[in-house]
Amino acid sequence: MQTQQTNRSYTRLSKMKTLVSLVVPICVSAFFLVWVSGEPPVDAGVNIPNVTEACYRCLCHVSSGCDLNLQCSGGYCGPFNISRVYWADAGKVVDPTDDPERNHAWEDCAIDYNCAKKIVGAYLQNFVRDCNGDGVIDCYDYMMLNGNGGYACTAPLNRSANGRIWLKRYEECKLN
């Protein structure tokens, strides 16, 4: 009887050691990956490097002169000149009390500065990268993302008339 209890105890102990030997390395690996990548867990909130309130104001200035009264025209809405495609790429952000499937929900959000800022933030989060290749992700990169789109942000803005306007407005904003 004593031997039977000893065998059961040994079996339980052996199973616990096996479980610990599997779980601990997985947890340590997960911690290491998060620590090395510098990325927070998905539910920790938005992490967009170097985007400040001043950068949002500058992006707004570049887009429309930050005209807070701007409505929708030619498929672009609000002070950030947000299109339906941009809004969809941002994840269909709307006011928390609204429904993204409601017709015109995106337009209502895009014409409201604070809601539009959330669209822009989500878009930047989805496409964040060093567009000008200088090794730093900053407001200039975000301006390039908005000017060229997330899929082609590395294209120089000075090659088009609209791009040159964006660059001029960005320089104005930087000086203020």
Side-chain angles (χ1 to χ4, degrees):
M1 181 117 159
Q2 180 85 14
T3 306
Q4 196 173 13
Q5 282 183 335
T6 304
N7 285 342
R8 280 190 209 145
S9 296
Y10 178 74
T11 303
R12 270 191 235 134
L13 183 60
S14 178
K15 286 180 181 178
M16 283 179 45
K17 284 183 179 179
T18 302
L19 183 61
V20 167
S21 70
L22 292 173
V23 171
V24 170
I26 291 170
C27 290
V28 169
S29 296
F31 172 78
F32 181 73
L33 286 173
V34 169
W35 180 67
V36 168
S37 71
E39 295 295 323
V42 173
D43 63 348
V46 175
N47 177 28
I48 313 169
N50 298 321
V51 68
T52 61
E53 185 57 39
C55 181
Y56 279 115
R57 285 192 305 270
C58 202
L59 294 175
C60 185
H61 177 74
V62 168
S63 298
S64 71
C66 210
D67 182 350
L68 300 180
N69 297 312
L70 199 59
Q71 295 297 304
C72 296
S73 176
Y76 294 89
C77 298
F80 289 97
N81 273 322
I82 294 171
S83 70
R84 185 176 180 87
V85 171
Y86 183 101
W87 170 76
D89 283 346
K92 298 185 176 184
V93 175
V94 294
D95 184 272
T97 62
D98 206 344
D99 176 5
E101 300 306 317
R102 182 182 66 80
N103 200 16
H104 304 291
W106 78 273
E107 295 162 318
D108 292 342
C109 184
I111 62 173
D112 175 79
Y113 178 82
N114 290 316
C115 195
K117 225 172 80 170
K118 291 177 185 175
I119 296 171
V120 172
Y123 186 87
L124 298 178
Q125 177 66 33
N126 289 341
F127 292 100
V128 63
R129 65 182 182 174
D130 181 13
C131 297
N132 63 352
D134 67 355
V136 177
I137 297 173
D138 57 17
C139 198
Y140 190 87
D141 295 297
Y142 300 133
M143 187 261 307
M144 289 183 73
L145 275 168
N146 281 331
N148 291 323
Y151 299 104
C153 80
T154 58
L157 287 169
N158 63 359
R159 292 185 180 168
S160 70
N162 196 45
R164 287 188 289 278
I165 291 169
W166 278 55
L167 288 168
K168 182 178 180 274
R169 287 182 181 166
Y170 183 78
E171 288 303 314
E172 291 168 359
C173 186
K174 265 183 33 179
L175 297 174
N176 292 327

